[in-house]
Amino acid sequence: METMQQPHVLRLTEGDVLIKSREEDCSRGGTHKLGHSECEEVNPFSFTPQLIHLHRDHELFEDGDIHRHMYLQDLYISEADDKPALSVSEFACHISGCSAHFSTLDEYEHHYNSLHRHVCCSCRRSLPSARLLDIHIQEWHDSLFTILAQSQDMYQCLVEGCGQKFRTSKHRKDHLIRIHTYPPDFRFDKSKKDKGTREMKKQLQKDTAMEVADDVCESEGVCEVMCDVVSDRPEQGESMEMHVSAEEAAPMAKCASTGEHADVSTAAHEPVFTSTKPVNPRSSYRVPTTVCFGHGSVRGFRGRRGRRK
Amino acid sequence: MRTSQMSSWTLLQENRQENGMHLLVSLLTGSNAQWRLQAGRCLHELSLSAHTSVAAACLPATTYLLTYLSGQSTKFTELCLYTLGNLCPDSAVQDKLLAQGIIPALASCIENQRHNLAVVEAVGFTLSQLLQAKDAAEKIIPMVLASSLPSHLLSVLTPDPNFGLAPAIECAWCLHYLTCSIVDKRELLAHGALSQCSSLLVSLGDAIAVGNKEEGIELLVCPLLRCVGNLLASCPVGDLNTQVCDVHLVVALCALIQAYLQTRPALARESAWVLNNLTAHSSDFCSALLSFNLVPGLIQLLPFSQGINTLILRVLANVSHKKKFCVQLGQLGLLSALCATLKMTDQEMVTLSLDILFMLVSSTPQLAEEFERQGGLSLLEAIQYNSEGEMRRRATYLLEHHLLLL
């Protein structure tokens, strides 16, 4: 095993020199006594080359640290307006079932990357990341998983790097809350049973913020379903309903805060659901071949960032 | 949409923080991509605020910001990263983020997005914030070292000519915070940190020597110097030649000293510090100083103050310590330089000068004669009356054993 040299701290302020000498080193001088030497005959010279290690807050670093801080402060330029984006006439998202519209490519890219990636092709839910999607597919759509889960711990912790597994999703949820301080209502970890009218109620009673969200339907609050189908359905029989059916619309109508939606057949006007467009339930969104977003749009951000040290 | 953004901002401002934050989180996780972005921007604005209660108010959002780091909308990821980075210094936020796995998340992010330099820069920034925590050495750094982050940081160090220095700057600062905080640097050395940082310094030094004044280059030079300096302090002498392959590092360091002497003296000092660590135990690097004819330039720096001359003198002392170089040093005018430094008021300068003088005259008697010819004896005699015992003893010893005998 090699021996590491001991780090030394050499204070460089004037008149305050503290030198520790290395044991292995031998200076030509001889004695190494600090401060006092007994008599004139003894060689008073004690210089040995020293390795100097500087800790983070050493005064030698002060000036550089200040410049670093100023650099970060300077980068906090007021959020510059977006560069004038390519002006194109308004266009729509090409994913069938999605009625979002955009006037810039930037907007479209963000929309697409946020909501149309990591989509489960069974239930068409969109998850925020590939990992969460994989976990979702496994837990919701994999019958082998269901079988194995009866006898072993199969529910993975959602936190990357944790690695723990649990017998039920409830155990996992408890673990997430207790150990990883997740919120109890984490949006991307609803169990299969957590569905239904309760969520819809919440949707309707939400304040103005969500009213305008007519580009995407959100049936569960779990993850977005990029279609106009109420999410309950697919789970029961893997059948994809294309329109809001009468049975589903009825509870909706009951919860509606205004009387406008009493008529079931006009459920299409419900702000949250758009059921006017036909949907192809079989299309898979997982890896669309027609659209490709590269890693461009890199340099445009420099003016838009701001951060504080 | 704008109205709701303004109103949520107002809500928070009016200290109805919980409602406002709840709203922001709903927007952040909702099904409208534009509103997610707006909510993110709102949170980012908040994170820039100096108000102490803001970080606590933003706690509920952190889980989602972290989740989105593995998303596909890179501009949103960038935004989340900067927001998290701004909030990091708050210890409650830090603890929460660590519990939620921010280190693995950052490692995945930099790995998956390594071709997107804007995101890489953002990861570097956020990590640099985390690494500055007071107890980073115990709570954060072990996890970072165990992850793939160090190798990614090193791979980003070489600046991309098109994108610019910013990602390299962030990663270099991360490496500096890592290096100066840990005692056992073997792991970092094994990753090649010293060889990479030093070869990058060589290229930067060369560029600066020919007058490259790219904006921000000092921001990269500074952390690299610190990494090299502290890694050298822990590098076993035997490994030095494999870790620092390029002997031209001495040239680069001297170039940096000269370039920054007037404009950024602190940076010149840091370069001199690294030079000390480089020459302390290595004959090869001392020899390089001589063969590249860098010693006269160093000698000319001895009159300068602000701490640089003591470091330069240390470097010269390192070289003198290796007996075989003493004659050459004498030929290059070190003795007359010492005649000047022996008259200085700075105690450390005088003591070091006496040490060097001793090393020179005891190894090479001709140098003793030379010193006398230059009128050095009277200087030593004057020092014998100095108030400081260390100096008196040295002067006396020199006179009695090496000089007056002639």
Side-chain angles (χ1 to χ4, degrees), chain B residues 260-321:
Chain B
Y260 292 126
L261 191 62
Q262 310 286 356
T263 53
R264 291 282 302 271
L267 214 47
R269 266 201 304 280
E270 292 193 33
S271 309
W273 159 59
V274 178
L275 197 57
N276 169 74
N277 283 2
L278 198 57
T279 52
H281 300 299
S282 164
S283 273
D284 291 339
F285 283 104
C286 290
S287 164
L289 268 181
L290 288 162
S291 54
F292 286 117
N293 197 27
L294 297 166
V295 172
L298 290 177
I299 288 178
Q300 281 165 12
L301 295 171
L302 291 175
F304 287 87
S305 60
Q306 296 196 307
I308 197 156
N309 52 2
T310 47
L311 283 165
I312 301 286
L313 204 53
R314 265 192 181 275
V315 172
L316 293 169
N318 290 346
V319 182
S320 317
H321 192 256

Side-chain angles (χ1 to χ4, degrees), chain A residues 8 10 19-32 44-52, chain B residues 276 279-281 314-315 317-322 352 355-356 359 394:
Chain A
H8 304 270
L10 183 75
I19 298 176
K20 293 183 197 160
S21 45
R22 291 174 66 231
E23 281 138 12
E24 298 131 46
D25 215 13
C26 49
S27 117
R28 279 192 299 251
T31 56
H32 295 269
F45 295 99
S46 58
F47 175 81
T48 55
Q50 305 286 327
L51 289 172
I52 303 169
Chain B
N276 169 74
T279 52
H281 300 299
R314 265 192 181 275
V315 172
N318 290 346
V319 182
S320 317
H321 192 256
K322 285 105 186 142
L352 272 172
D355 285 336
I356 296 177
M359 287 188 278
R394 282 167 164 80

Side-chain angles (χ1 to χ4, degrees), chain B residues 200-222:
Chain B
L200 187 52
L201 263 184
V202 171
S203 352
L204 289 173
D206 285 347
I208 290 168
V210 297
N212 180 324
K213 295 240 185 295
E214 188 175 349
E215 200 182 319
I217 204 166
E218 302 91 37
L219 290 154
L220 182 54
V221 167
C222 180

Side-chain angles (χ1 to χ4, degrees), chain A residues 22 35 45 66 78 125 138 146 156 182 195 204 241-242 274 295 304:
Chain A
R22 291 174 66 231
F45 295 99
I66 290 172
S78 52
R125 276 177 183 75
Q138 205 187 26
T146 319
Q156 304 178 48
Y182 266 49
K195 299 186 295 231
L204 296 169
E241 290 291 321
M242 284 186 255
T274 55
H295 297 285
R304 262 193 270 138

Side-chain angles (χ1 to χ4, degrees), chain A residues 125 140 190 194-196 199 218-223 231-232:
Chain A
R125 276 177 183 75
W140 287 51
K190 292 282 165 64
D194 261 10
K195 299 186 295 231
E199 278 299 313
E218 185 184 23
S219 48
E220 282 204 1
V222 169
C223 25
S231 61
D232 298 279

Side-chain angles (χ1 to χ4, degrees), chain A residues 4-5 28 35 37 50 52 54 61 65 68 110 117 160 180-181 209 298 301 305-308, chain B residues 33 35 44 72-73 78 82 86 96 99-100 108 163 170 226 230 234 237 273 277 323 359 390 393:
Chain A
M4 287 298 295
Q5 296 167 350
R28 279 192 299 251
S37 75
Q50 305 286 327
I52 303 169
L54 299 177
F61 287 165
D65 286 348
R68 160 75 175 161
H110 170 65
R117 308 285 288 257
E160 220 174 316
H180 298 297
T181 71
V298 161
F301 296 133
R305 274 192 325 262
R307 50 191 183 282
R308 178 185 70 115
Chain B
W35 288 33
H44 178 250
Q72 293 294 116
S73 171
E78 229 187 290
Y82 283 118
N86 291 336
K96 195 169 172 65
Q100 292 173 351
S108 299
F163 192 86
E170 297 308 311
R226 297 174 182 194
N230 276 327
S234 305
V237 180
W273 159 59
N277 283 2
K323 295 185 198 177
M359 287 188 278
E390 280 301 303
R393 277 186 284 277

